mmCIF file of all heavy atoms in Angstrom:
data_model
loop_
_atom_site.group_PDB
_atom_site.id
_atom_site.type_symbol
_atom_site.label_atom_id
_atom_site.label_comp_id
_atom_site.label_asym_id
_atom_site.label_seq_id
_atom_site.Cartn_x
_atom_site.Cartn_y
_atom_site.Cartn_z
ATOM 1 N N ILE H 5 4.871 35.691 -75.162
ATOM 2 C CA ILE H 5 5.327 34.571 -74.350
ATOM 3 C C ILE H 5 4.107 33.841 -73.810
ATOM 4 O O ILE H 5 3.264 34.431 -73.142
ATOM 5 C CB ILE H 5 6.235 35.065 -73.202
ATOM 6 C CG1 ILE H 5 7.542 35.618 -73.779
ATOM 7 C CG2 ILE H 5 6.512 33.933 -72.215
ATOM 8 C CD1 ILE H 5 8.485 36.187 -72.737
ATOM 9 N N ALA H 11 -3.843 25.026 -69.786
ATOM 10 C CA ALA H 11 -5.071 25.097 -70.586
ATOM 11 C C ALA H 11 -4.915 24.263 -71.852
ATOM 12 O O ALA H 11 -5.748 23.414 -72.167
ATOM 13 C CB ALA H 11 -5.387 26.553 -70.941
ATOM 14 N N GLY H 59 3.887 3.465 -69.762
ATOM 15 C CA GLY H 59 4.189 2.383 -68.834
ATOM 16 C C GLY H 59 2.936 1.696 -68.321
ATOM 17 O O GLY H 59 2.903 1.207 -67.189
ATOM 18 N N TRP H 75 -16.410 10.811 -68.420
ATOM 19 C CA TRP H 75 -17.831 10.437 -68.456
ATOM 20 C C TRP H 75 -17.976 8.926 -68.544
ATOM 21 O O TRP H 75 -18.799 8.330 -67.839
ATOM 22 C CB TRP H 75 -18.530 11.098 -69.646
ATOM 23 C CG TRP H 75 -20.024 10.953 -69.567
ATOM 24 C CD1 TRP H 75 -20.924 11.840 -69.073
ATOM 25 C CD2 TRP H 75 -20.783 9.796 -69.995
ATOM 26 N NE1 TRP H 75 -22.198 11.321 -69.141
ATOM 27 C CE2 TRP H 75 -22.149 10.071 -69.708
ATOM 28 C CE3 TRP H 75 -20.456 8.585 -70.586
ATOM 29 C CZ2 TRP H 75 -23.172 9.176 -69.992
ATOM 30 C CZ3 TRP H 75 -21.481 7.668 -70.859
ATOM 31 C CH2 TRP H 75 -22.812 7.968 -70.570
ATOM 32 N N HIS H 93 -11.820 18.691 -61.535
ATOM 33 C CA HIS H 93 -12.118 19.569 -62.671
ATOM 34 C C HIS H 93 -13.634 19.644 -62.870
ATOM 35 O O HIS H 93 -14.377 18.722 -62.525
ATOM 36 C CB HIS H 93 -11.452 19.004 -63.920
ATOM 37 C CG HIS H 93 -11.440 19.920 -65.091
ATOM 38 N ND1 HIS H 93 -12.518 20.053 -65.942
ATOM 39 C CD2 HIS H 93 -10.481 20.756 -65.564
ATOM 40 C CE1 HIS H 93 -12.228 20.924 -66.888
ATOM 41 N NE2 HIS H 93 -11.000 21.369 -66.685
ATOM 42 N N ALA H 95 -15.293 19.167 -65.394
ATOM 43 C CA ALA H 95 -15.779 18.061 -66.215
ATOM 44 C C ALA H 95 -16.239 16.888 -65.366
ATOM 45 O O ALA H 95 -17.165 16.155 -65.750
ATOM 46 C CB ALA H 95 -14.691 17.608 -67.187
ATOM 47 N N ALA H 119 -12.794 7.556 -45.920
ATOM 48 C CA ALA H 119 -13.090 6.272 -45.288
ATOM 49 C C ALA H 119 -14.545 6.198 -44.845
ATOM 50 O O ALA H 119 -15.211 5.165 -45.018
ATOM 51 C CB ALA H 119 -12.157 6.041 -44.102
ATOM 52 N N LEU H 121 -17.079 7.853 -46.164
ATOM 53 C CA LEU H 121 -17.932 7.753 -47.347
ATOM 54 C C LEU H 121 -17.885 6.342 -47.946
ATOM 55 O O LEU H 121 -18.907 5.800 -48.374
ATOM 56 C CB LEU H 121 -17.509 8.782 -48.393
ATOM 57 C CG LEU H 121 -17.882 10.235 -48.096
ATOM 58 C CD1 LEU H 121 -17.233 11.174 -49.115
ATOM 59 C CD2 LEU H 121 -19.397 10.414 -48.133
ATOM 60 N N VAL H 153 -9.140 -0.021 -52.500
ATOM 61 C CA VAL H 153 -9.037 -1.461 -52.749
ATOM 62 C C VAL H 153 -9.452 -2.250 -51.514
ATOM 63 O O VAL H 153 -10.098 -3.311 -51.614
ATOM 64 C CB VAL H 153 -7.595 -1.831 -53.158
ATOM 65 C CG1 VAL H 153 -7.390 -3.345 -53.113
ATOM 66 C CG2 VAL H 153 -7.296 -1.318 -54.555
ATOM 67 N N LEU H 170 4.849 13.583 -64.489
ATOM 68 C CA LEU H 170 5.088 12.756 -63.313
ATOM 69 C C LEU H 170 4.774 11.310 -63.705
ATOM 70 O O LEU H 170 4.042 11.063 -64.663
ATOM 71 C CB LEU H 170 4.177 13.183 -62.152
ATOM 72 C CG LEU H 170 4.274 14.635 -61.675
ATOM 73 C CD1 LEU H 170 3.184 14.902 -60.638
ATOM 74 C CD2 LEU H 170 5.653 14.925 -61.093
ATOM 75 N N LEU H 225 -1.184 11.867 -80.695
ATOM 76 C CA LEU H 225 -0.983 11.583 -79.274
ATOM 77 C C LEU H 225 0.213 10.667 -79.070
ATOM 78 O O LEU H 225 1.062 10.906 -78.198
ATOM 79 C CB LEU H 225 -2.255 10.950 -78.700
ATOM 80 C CG LEU H 225 -2.167 10.361 -77.283
ATOM 81 C CD1 LEU H 225 -1.723 11.403 -76.273
ATOM 82 C CD2 LEU H 225 -3.520 9.756 -76.878
ATOM 83 N N ASP H 235 11.598 15.702 -68.378
ATOM 84 C CA ASP H 235 13.058 15.641 -68.271
ATOM 85 C C ASP H 235 13.747 16.292 -69.470
ATOM 86 O O ASP H 235 14.924 16.657 -69.387
ATOM 87 C CB ASP H 235 13.520 14.187 -68.164
ATOM 88 C CG ASP H 235 13.053 13.530 -66.871
ATOM 89 O OD1 ASP H 235 12.771 14.270 -65.907
ATOM 90 O OD2 ASP H 235 12.966 12.294 -66.835
ATOM 91 N N GLY H 255 4.525 38.655 -53.316
ATOM 92 C CA GLY H 255 3.143 38.223 -53.306
ATOM 93 C C GLY H 255 2.989 36.918 -52.546
ATOM 94 O O GLY H 255 3.706 36.661 -51.579
ATOM 95 N N SER H 298 -13.536 27.300 -67.129
ATOM 96 C CA SER H 298 -14.348 28.176 -66.288
ATOM 97 C C SER H 298 -13.804 29.588 -66.190
ATOM 98 O O SER H 298 -14.416 30.451 -65.579
ATOM 99 C CB SER H 298 -14.450 27.592 -64.869
ATOM 100 O OG SER H 298 -13.173 27.449 -64.290
ATOM 101 N N ASP H 340 10.087 39.275 -64.087
ATOM 102 C CA ASP H 340 10.385 40.707 -64.042
ATOM 103 C C ASP H 340 9.125 41.536 -64.284
ATOM 104 O O ASP H 340 8.898 42.558 -63.625
ATOM 105 C CB ASP H 340 11.456 41.061 -65.075
ATOM 106 C CG ASP H 340 12.809 40.433 -64.762
ATOM 107 O OD1 ASP H 340 13.009 40.008 -63.605
ATOM 108 O OD2 ASP H 340 13.654 40.363 -65.674
ATOM 109 N N ALA H 349 1.386 48.457 -58.531
ATOM 110 C CA ALA H 349 0.122 48.365 -57.809
ATOM 111 C C ALA H 349 0.277 48.761 -56.345
ATOM 112 O O ALA H 349 -0.618 49.402 -55.772
ATOM 113 C CB ALA H 349 -0.426 46.932 -57.903
#
Side-chain angles (χ1 to χ4, degrees):
I5 293 178
W75 191 96
H93 192 277
L121 286 172
V153 167
L170 302 173
L225 170 58
D235 294 337
S298 59
D340 294 343

